[in-house]
Amino acid sequence: MEKTIRVLVANRPQLMRETILTTFADQPDIEIVGEVADESEIFENVKKTMPNFVVIALDHPGQRPRICDDLLREHPEVRVIAVAPANNYVVYYWASLDIHSSNVEASEEGLLSALRSSMVTNRAN
């Protein structure tokens, strides 16, 4: 059996969070381990749920969110997907010795592809 991709959805506004949850709901290999409405609750929920991914809001496309840096420093095993709802823009962040990013197609397929491709990479390591 394939390993389940554990996702914490911490995006705002609520409508975007609900859209992301709907996108992942029918995916058999993705488990939503939590939903966070307030950014201040992200760290506590990451410790509690141990997700593979955290989906956050991207307020300024082209500028990495501060929460991303803090989260990846404290939890380098977690991957972050930042979604900018107003700009149809998604970025995928991860940490190794540095924090990396890759633009993602701003669609359901783009999000799902980013989740699944990183799990393949993690299994190979």
Side-chain angles (χ1 to χ4, degrees), residues 5 14-15 22 28-29 43 45 54 62 83-84 89 104 120 122:
I5 302 167
Q14 181 177 348
L15 181 59
T22 299
D29 57 338
F43 284 95
N45 278 274
V54 177
V83 180
Y89 187 75
V104 175
V120 170
N122 285 344

Side-chain angles (χ1 to χ4, degrees), residues 5-124:
I5 302 167
R6 298 173 51 82
V7 180
L8 174 66
V9 179
N11 200 298
R12 46 173 220 295
Q14 181 177 348
L15 181 59
M16 180 56 68
R17 202 168 52 252
E18 289 172 358
T19 300
I20 290 167
L21 289 167
T22 299
T23 298
F24 296 156
D26 295 335
Q27 304 302 315
D29 57 338
I30 297 175
E31 175 187 3
I32 302 300
V33 296
E35 178 183 351
V36 177
D38 187 341
E39 191 174 274
S40 67
E41 299 172 5
I42 291 175
F43 284 95
E44 178 184 333
N45 278 274
V46 167
K47 288 177 186 175
K48 209 174 0 178
T49 63
M50 300 184 325
N52 302 108
F53 284 88
V54 177
V55 180
I56 64 171
L58 180 63
D59 296 323
H60 306 287
Q63 181 180 353
R64 189 170 60 233
R66 174 176 282 137
I67 187 80
C68 182
D69 290 6
D70 297 339
L71 185 60
L72 291 172
R73 267 193 216 84
E74 191 168 326
H75 300 280
E77 72 284 359
V78 172
R79 308 284 175 119
V80 177
I81 293 182
V83 180
N87 299 77
N88 201 27
Y89 187 75
V90 178
V91 182
Y92 168 40
Y93 296 99
W94 67 96
S96 57
L97 296 178
D98 291 315
I99 296 174
H100 303 272
S101 68
S102 175
N103 289 338
V104 175
E105 178 185 327
S107 68
E108 287 183 22
E109 188 156 324
L111 286 172
L112 294 171
S113 177
L115 290 174
R116 291 180 175 126
S117 68
S118 73
M119 292 306 291
V120 170
T121 302
N122 285 344
R123 286 187 201 123

